[in-house]
Each structure stands twice: as C-alpha cells, then as structure tokens.
Amino acid sequence: MGIAVWLGRLIFAVIWGVMLANLVAPFEGKGFAFFLFLMVLLIALHLLQLLMFATVYKEHIQWRRGDYWQVIFFGVIGWLAIVRAQPARTQTKAEQTNDES
C-alpha cells in the first residue's frame, strides 16, 4: 500500500500543479473558468472529507498538525497515509509512557 500512497500523492501533486498553473498563467478561452471551478470543487470536497474524518476518528487516531494538511491536499490518499502511520505512532506513544513510569 506504500507505493499506492506515493503514487496517489504524485498524481495529486500534478493535479494541484495544473490548478495553480491556471491561476498564474490563465488558460485560453473557457479553460480558466473550468479549472478554477475544479479547484474550488477539489478544495470543498477535501475540506468535507477532513471534517468527516476528524469528527468520526478524532478519538481513535492520533492526529498531528500535518495530518490535517495531508487530507486537504491529498484527500483519501492522505487519509490512507495517516492510517498507515498509526502503528508506529501508537508504539512511540507507548514507549514514551513506559519511559515516564
């Protein structure tokens, strides 16, 4: 699943690159409006995903500040990366708890 997450991030990086390129150098004709609409839609859907994931899984998953940005930029792919990182995070937290005792 690690390769799928990195491939998904790469695809989303290309998508964000096209969207931002449209803002810097607007595309010809109706392309500007179309890609602007797509960017607003992408941001809205990723914010909705963030709201759903953070609300439902806040108590079950260890969230870090960068995790919110991962979901905003990468959507479900970012969520998969967060879920995939959980075993290491819980192990680190358990070790810190044992060291304090």
Side-chain angles (χ1 to χ4, degrees):
M1 178 150 87
I3 294 173
V5 169
W6 282 107
L7 184 62
R9 285 180 177 171
L10 177 66
I11 291 170
F12 268 107
V14 169
I15 291 170
W16 279 108
V18 170
M19 302 289 179
L20 293 174
N22 183 46
L23 290 177
V24 174
F27 297 154
E28 295 291 326
K30 295 183 181 181
F32 174 74
F34 177 69
F35 279 98
L36 190 62
F37 170 75
L38 288 178
M39 186 171 76
V40 170
L41 183 65
L42 182 70
I43 292 170
L45 290 175
H46 284 187
L47 287 173
L48 181 63
Q49 286 178 349
L50 176 63
L51 177 67
M52 291 185 320
F53 292 148
T55 303
V56 173
Y57 295 108
K58 182 84 170 174
E59 299 160 356
H60 304 289
I61 299 245
Q62 291 181 6
W63 285 85
R64 295 182 179 167
R65 178 180 294 166
D67 293 343
Y68 295 102
W69 289 110
Q70 275 198 62
V71 175
I72 290 173
F73 289 129
F74 303 115
V76 173
I77 302 298
W79 174 248
L80 290 175
I82 295 167
V83 170
R84 191 166 180 262
Q86 287 308 302
R89 291 179 185 181
T90 54
Q91 182 180 9
T92 304
K93 187 175 181 179
E95 289 173 359
Q96 289 174 352
T97 305
N98 290 337
D99 291 341
E100 292 174 1
S101 298

